[in-house]
Amino acid sequence: VLEAVNRFSKSDSVAIPSEPEEALLLWVNQSCLTLRNTLEESKLNNTNEAFLPKLNKLQDLSDFSDGVGLTSLVSFYCPDDLVWNEISLGDPPSMSDSLCNIQLFQRFCLDVLPFNICYLSMEDIFYLHSSIKLVLQCLLTDLYSVLEVRPAKCVRLPGLVKDQIIVVPDPD
C-alpha cells in the first residue's frame, strides 16, 4: 500500500500504518487527496469548472457509509468509467446522496470490473453495522487488488506513464 501511495502522492511524510484497516484508509485518503489536488490543478488551467468536491478524510471504516470514499477512489483510478462530478456530494451527504453514491459504486463493480467484487448490499454499506466491518475491509482489499495489484483494463494507474505499464495476459 505504501508503494502505491508514494507513487502518486505528493505528501512526503506518510506514517507507516500498523493495522490493515489503517493501511486501507491511508490508501483511500491519499487517493481522494490526490484526486482533489488534480481537480484543483485542472481548475486553474480551465476556469469553466466552478465547483470542486469537498472530500473529507475518512477516520474509520464507518465513514464509507455515504459512498463518497468508494466512488472517489473509483473515479481516481477509472476516470473514464466514473466521472467525479457524478458523485453526490451533499454537506453532509443526505440519505439520497449516499444511496446514489453506493449505487454508482455497485454499478461500476458489476458493469466495468472483470468480476463483481461488491458482495455487500446497498443497505449493508449504508448502515454499516459493526458486525460487517471485516467484510467491508475484505471489499476494500479486493478493490485494492483490482485497482493496484492486478489492474483491470479500465484502470489508469496514477503516477505511471501508460508506456511503463506491461500488460501480462492471464494464463486462465
Side-chain angles (χ1 to χ4, degrees):
V1 171
L2 282 177
E3 232 177 84
V5 168
N6 288 331
R7 187 184 68 243
F8 61 76
S9 175
K10 294 179 181 176
S11 179
D12 293 332
S13 59
V14 176
I16 298 173
S18 59
E19 297 290 324
E21 181 179 329
E22 292 174 8
L24 292 168
L25 285 171
L26 171 71
W27 172 58
V28 174
N29 281 326
Q30 290 298 321
S31 298
C32 291
L33 179 65
T34 305
L35 173 65
R36 172 78 182 179
N37 292 341
T38 304
L39 294 173
E40 285 176 356
E41 289 172 12
S42 70
K43 182 183 178 186
L44 293 175
N45 298 335
N46 181 7
T47 56
N48 293 341
E49 295 183 38
F51 172 74
L52 285 178
K54 181 183 178 200
L55 304 173
N56 295 325
K57 185 175 181 179
L58 304 171
Q59 301 298 323
D60 67 12
L61 291 180
S62 64
D63 293 341
F64 283 97
S65 65
D66 62 8
V68 173
L70 293 170
T71 51
S72 298
L73 183 66
V74 168
S75 177
F76 179 59
Y77 277 88
C78 305
D80 295 332
D81 297 299
L82 200 154
V83 182
W84 71 267
N85 55 13
E86 291 178 4
I87 302 170
S88 297
L89 297 163
D91 190 22
S94 67
M95 182 177 187
S96 64
D97 291 337
S98 300
L99 294 174
C100 177
N101 292 333
I102 295 167
Q103 190 173 31
L104 279 173
F105 176 73
Q106 287 179 325
R107 192 173 312 130
F108 168 81
C109 291
L110 185 64
D111 295 343
V112 178
L113 295 179
F115 53 92
N116 187 6
I117 61 169
C118 188
Y119 31 84
L120 292 171
S121 71
M122 194 178 305
E123 293 81 10
D124 288 339
I125 297 172
F126 182 74
Y127 293 111
L128 209 54
H129 191 268
S130 61
S131 64
I132 62 167
K133 282 193 176 186
L134 183 60
V135 179
L136 178 63
Q137 197 171 350
C138 292
L139 171 66
L140 291 171
T141 304
D142 288 344
L143 194 57
Y144 179 80
S145 177
V146 81
L147 295 177
E148 276 288 339
V149 178
R150 293 191 62 153
K153 290 181 181 181
C154 62
V155 174
R156 281 197 223 159
L157 279 175
L160 283 184
V161 179
K162 182 71 174 165
D163 296 340
Q164 295 175 339
I165 300 173
I166 300 171
V167 178
V168 179
D170 192 4
D172 294 332

